Amino acid sequence: MKTTAAEPQPVIRLESLDKIYQTGAVAIHAVREVSLTVAAGEFVAVMGPSGSGKSTLMNLIGCLDRPSGGHYWLDGEEVGALSPSALSQVRNQQLGFVFQGFNLLSRTSALENVELPLLYSAHGHGRRELRRRSQAALERVGLTDRAAHPPSQLSGGQQQRVAIARALVNEPALLLADEPTGNLDTRTSIEIMAIFQKLNRKGMTILMVTHEPGIARYSRREILMRDGRVVSDQPVRERLEAVQELGRWQGVAMEEQA
Amino acid sequence: MKFSATWMIALRALRRNPMRTGLTMLGIIIGVGAVIAMVAIGTGAKAEVAASIEQMGQNMVMIISRAARSGRVHMGSDSGVALTRQDYDAIRQEISGLVGATPEVRVNAQVAYGNQNVNTTIYGVSEDYPAVRAWQFAQGEHFTQMEIRGAAKVAVVGQSVATNLFGGGNPVGQVVRIQSAPYVVVGVLRAKGGNRMGRDQDDLVLVPWTSAQVRLTGRTTFRVISVQAESAERIPDVVEQILALLRQRHNIREDQEDDVKIFNMQDMLEMATSTAQTMTILLGAIAGVSLLVGGIGIMNIMLVSVTERTREIGLRMAVGARAADILLQFLVEAVVLSVCGGVIGIGLGYGMARVVSEKFGWSTLVSLDSVLAAFLFSAIIGIFFGFYPARKAARLDPIEALRYE
Ligand SMILES: Nc1ncnc2c1ncn2[C@@H]1O[C@H](COP(=O)(O)OP(=O)(O)O)[C@@H](O)[C@H]1O
Ligand SMILES: [Mg+2]
């Protein structure tokens, strides 16, 4: 069973991680000597201007890309040594991804979209088990009533919830989100933050990239990047509670109506 | 990952784009359909030719006079000598290995019964005719040697003539008139049906060859004498004996050609079946090309599909698909396309063969072999043409793929 903050082992440990893109004659140093530790149960926001290397760092942590140098331990295991197919299983079992563009399969119901990672699990599941798990994941993001709808019949916020449910379906210890609210309006963004905060309270470790300071305030720890380096790393002050913020929105809306 | 999951993934992917799936299959459907139908037509032709030749008497050898067209007896050697009654007797007596022999004196005439009359072909034959032609009787029996010797006015009617003249009644014992002379019907042949050229083989009347010569043609020579060898193995020997006998009887010199032509059913069978075989291969090959084009269609669509679904592939990899899973998924998609197309094509080909049978009266035969071969071949086409696109998909880099626009 995956775990909680009580465990001493950090979920992520990076040691002078480097990523250099070689495009023709020019080498772009996208991530420079990043050393970072994220403990279980943290909720971290990675901030920084465009091109500062946030996405590159997320891809490295998400085992989608390999570093050019340095070390990375995920749950205590050195990832650099793993084969491509072992990395696939790591992505499948230990990580959950949420993308800015949702990346849902078109013409495929929300439920089947959520099932996707289960289909690639080393230990197969029966059809009924697939259904049960994906339904449970949709429940966690509050979208059971939309299970049969394809993405084209869902709003942006609902699509992102489906994407989150898909990230959760294999019950990973770590949730990675690259600008999860980038395509959403403010209110819907806060709804997504409400889901993240709820998951985090139940012990899920979350690492989220955002360039909106307002969104970063829903996390607990804020990391700032510039030119591939981590330039500041501190706890969030004046933290916001998404549920309260939503209540306030509701209030404003009602006042306007009145 | 479980294999059943691969199937589920592939089927879902195909279901997401039913129009494209259908159109891609269409190439294979038409290709397989064409192969099945063409091979069915070729195989049917071969079977029918074989059957109709077999019906004539498998080991039959026909001796046809080169001079007989004019009906005159040539004593000179330039155009040969017609077959005479003495030739016929000599063949009966001197050739070994025969089941029977019969001349075929042919004449078209009107046959009447009561106020019914039909135009048909009268054959003057010997008592061996049923044995030579491998023909059985439906009613009554054949005329005897005695009746032949006496040029008796007796007749055996074919099934069509029996039906046309007597309706459902029993012709045996009835008297029919052939060119106004009365003949007693002694037997009715079993039906043979139409042959490939559409000629009704049951439209005939048999009479003793003596009667035919004396009463109908007025000639004393034969154009055709048919014999039936004891077995297929004896045919070459029988043919050799006949040629030698006739050369000697007709005084043909060493440097001259035979004055008869010999048709041997075994040779004809071989020739006809090999012609049909060639036709089958040719038709099948042409149809095979369309199947190949169908396969290229699958490859084409799969390549487009891989490009179009690049982000989807990236996403699958991001959530845990290994390169091997992606490869397998696309391969299974291609195989499902081609095999489903193949199965539908088999049905279509069967349908086309049926339509051809009914519309043109050609017999067709959809063999189990051709069905199995078509099925297997379409699966192989799926694997072969699906492999390249599948490998292309599997080699994609997950982040590159996710970033693809
Ligand atoms: N695949 C790539 N090839 C070459 N350069 C890249 C690639 N991906 C990102 N970069 C470069 O790396 C730097 C960091 O990019 P990125 O991590 O996407 O930044 P962010 O997400 O913070 O906007 C940028 O200068 C970008 O141009
Ligand atoms: Mg980015």
Side-chain angles (χ1 to χ4, degrees):
Chain A
M1 276 279 105
K2 305 249 142 97
T3 84
T4 54
E7 229 171 325
Q9 183 77 265
V11 175
I12 299 171
R13 185 149 81 85
L14 305 180
E15 214 175 86
S16 39
L17 208 64
D18 269 306
K19 179 67 190 181
I20 301 167
Y21 289 115
Q22 196 72 46
T23 46
V26 200
I28 298 166
H29 216 138
V31 168
R32 293 171 197 255
E33 296 185 22
V34 169
S35 294
L36 185 69
T37 302
V38 176
E42 284 199 82
F43 183 177
V44 185
V46 179
M47 305 271 295
S50 180
S52 57
K54 307 180 297 289
S55 293
T56 304
L57 182 65
M58 285 298 268
N59 291 340
L60 292 173
I61 293 171
C63 298
L64 283 165
D65 209 351
R66 287 181 186 270
S68 310
H71 298 277
Y72 169 23
W73 288 268
L74 177 65
D75 265 335
E77 185 179 19
E78 166 109 54
V79 169
L82 299 176
S83 70
S85 72
L87 283 178
S88 292
Q89 276 307 298
V90 168
R91 292 197 292 268
N92 185 254
Q93 296 293 307
Q94 292 168 258
L95 305 172
F97 289 92
V98 177
F99 307 92
Q100 178 175 353
F102 320 141
N103 275 330
L104 297 177
L105 295 182
S106 60
R107 273 167 284 175
T108 301
S109 72
L111 196 70
E112 287 185 4
N113 263 293
V114 174
E115 269 177 29
L116 203 63
L118 295 173
L119 297 178
Y120 295 107
S121 294
H123 41 277
H125 305 281
R127 233 161 219 265
R128 199 168 301 160
E129 179 69 2
L130 288 183
R131 199 109 305 190
R132 195 190 63 71
R133 285 188 181 222
S134 20
Q135 224 126 28
L138 278 175
E139 218 163 290
R140 286 168 83 182
V141 298
L143 212 66
T144 31
D145 56 331
R146 284 280 188 270
H149 295 252
S152 60
Q153 293 171 15
L154 299 174
S155 69
Q158 287 170 330
Q159 289 186 53
Q160 193 59 300
R161 284 171 197 231
V162 174
I164 295 169
R166 181 180 63 198
L168 298 177
V169 77
N170 258 334
E171 297 178 17
L174 178 59
L175 185 68
L176 300 173
D178 193 349
E179 311 220 17
T181 60
N183 284 357
L184 303 175
D185 60 60
T186 315
R187 197 203 137 100
T188 315
S189 298
I190 300 173
E191 284 172 3
I192 297 299
M193 286 307 108
I195 293 171
F196 278 22
Q197 287 187 332
K198 192 177 96 189
L199 290 168
N200 180 244
R201 263 196 301 278
K202 292 194 175 158
M204 172 85 66
T205 311
I206 300 175
L207 193 64
M208 164 183 84
V209 167
T210 180
H211 60 258
E212 299 166 71
I215 293 298
R217 284 175 68 195
Y218 292 97
S219 71
R220 294 170 187 277
R221 175 181 168 193
E222 203 176 297
I223 289 174
L224 186 64
M225 288 186 74
R226 186 161 294 141
D227 296 331
R229 291 181 203 279
V230 171
V231 292
S232 100
D233 181 350
Q234 49 196 225
V236 171
R237 258 165 273 194
E238 297 178 55
R239 197 162 176 264
L240 294 176
E241 279 300 325
V243 180
Q244 280 174 18
E245 292 303 306
L246 283 174
R248 194 169 313 154
W249 268 73
Q250 215 99 35
V252 172
M254 287 211 253
E255 270 169 37
E256 273 175 4
Q257 271 180 359
Chain B
M1 192 169 95
K2 287 204 303 188
F3 190 62
S4 64
T6 307
W7 277 97
M8 194 150 90
I9 292 164
L11 292 178
R12 278 179 185 178
L14 291 173
R15 211 180 49 199
R16 275 169 66 201
N17 215 330
M19 181 77 171
R20 167 188 292 178
T21 301
L23 286 174
T24 312
M25 270 187 203
L26 201 59
I28 294 290
I29 293 173
I30 291 172
V32 169
V35 168
I36 294 285
M38 294 301 140
V39 171
I41 290 168
T43 315
K46 192 174 118 188
E48 181 156 343
V49 165
S52 67
I53 286 176
E54 221 147 279
Q55 266 187 348
M56 279 194 227
Q58 228 174 351
N59 305 319
M60 195 174 88
V61 175
M62 281 174 104
I63 305 152
I64 299 173
S65 166
R66 287 181 196 275
R69 279 212 176 274
S70 62
R72 277 173 285 136
V73 179
H74 287 269
M75 293 317 286
S77 55
D78 44 318
S79 60
V81 180
L83 294 165
T84 61
R85 175 179 186 152
Q86 288 72 33
D87 290 334
Y88 170 60
D89 288 336
I91 287 169
R92 289 188 71 98
Q93 279 152 30
E94 293 172 36
I95 308 295
S96 61
L98 293 187
V99 171
T102 178
E104 288 183 22
V105 178
R106 212 179 119 173
V107 61
N108 289 321
Q110 200 174 60
V111 179
Y113 172 72
N115 56 2
Q116 299 290 316
N117 64 68
V118 292
N119 281 308
T120 183
T121 309
I122 314 290
Y123 284 91
V125 300
S126 79
E127 69 276 19
D128 291 343
Y129 188 85
V132 173
R133 287 276 170 165
W135 214 330
Q136 263 124 37
F137 280 75
Q139 283 163 300
E141 53 193 11
H142 198 51
F143 34 78
T144 63
Q145 205 175 349
M146 290 296 285
E147 285 165 325
I148 290 167
R149 216 169 285 160
K153 285 186 275 185
V154 288
V156 167
V157 297
Q159 207 45 254
S160 300
V161 174
T163 313
N164 292 339
L165 290 184
F166 302 94
N170 184 358
V172 177
Q174 304 298 322
V175 174
V176 294
R177 307 183 82 81
I178 300 175
Q179 286 190 350
S180 61
Y183 286 73
V184 177
V185 176
V186 294
V188 180
L189 291 168
R190 269 207 199 150
K192 271 201 179 182
N195 70 1
R196 192 155 186 81
M197 275 64 84
R199 199 172 64 81
D200 177 7
Q201 299 183 92
D202 300 312
D203 183 15
L204 85 176
V205 172
L206 305 179
V207 297
W209 63 267
T210 45
S211 312
Q213 281 193 332
V214 174
R215 305 176 205 286
L216 300 173
T217 68
R219 288 189 205 135
T220 56
T221 58
F222 306 121
R223 194 169 83 83
V224 181
I225 292 175
S226 297
V227 301
Q228 173 86 349
E230 281 169 357
S231 65
E233 294 73 53
R234 299 230 46 177
I235 290 176
D237 174 45
V238 164
V239 169
E240 205 171 301
Q241 287 181 64
I242 291 170
L243 284 173
L245 177 74
L246 292 177
R247 285 181 79 90
Q248 179 225 319
R249 291 187 55 82
H250 294 178
N251 301 317
I252 294 171
R253 292 197 308 269
E254 284 286 325
D255 60 330
Q256 285 176 316
E257 285 196 20
D258 296 319
D259 62 350
V260 291
K261 234 175 132 68
I262 297 225
F263 282 105
N264 153 359
M265 287 300 154
Q266 284 296 325
D267 288 351
M268 276 176 74
L269 185 70
E270 261 164 46
M271 203 172 70
T273 53
S274 90
T275 305
Q277 186 84 47
T278 309
M279 185 172 95
T280 307
I281 291 170
L282 201 71
L283 290 175
I286 292 168
V289 170
S290 70
L291 186 52
L292 204 67
V293 171
I296 293 168
I298 285 191
M299 177 147 88
N300 188 11
I301 297 289
M302 293 300 292
L303 279 173
V304 171
S305 168
V306 167
T307 308
E308 201 190 77
R309 286 157 66 189
T310 299
R311 278 170 75 89
E312 174 195 328
I313 294 163
L315 171 72
R316 289 178 186 277
M317 287 176 157
V319 301
R322 292 167 305 151
D325 297 330
I326 299 292
L327 182 86
L328 206 60
Q329 177 195 334
F330 278 83
L331 213 51
V332 168
E333 276 184 36
V335 171
V336 167
L337 275 175
S338 67
V339 167
C340 287
V343 169
I344 298 171
I346 288 168
L348 180 76
Y350 185 75
M352 288 197 294
R354 288 286 296 274
V355 168
V356 163
S357 288
E358 274 164 34
K359 287 259 177 237
F360 303 103
W362 299 358
S363 74
T364 57
L365 193 78
V366 177
S367 69
L368 187 65
D369 283 357
S370 69
V371 167
L372 290 179
F375 186 80
L376 215 68
F377 199 60
S378 51
I380 289 169
I381 275 187
I383 293 172
F384 185 79
F385 289 106
F387 189 76
Y388 176 69
R391 199 187 55 167
K392 201 173 161 214
R395 285 188 172 179
L396 288 172
D397 178 65
I399 331 171
E400 298 282 315
L402 272 173
R403 209 178 277 142
Y404 185 85
E405 291 300 329

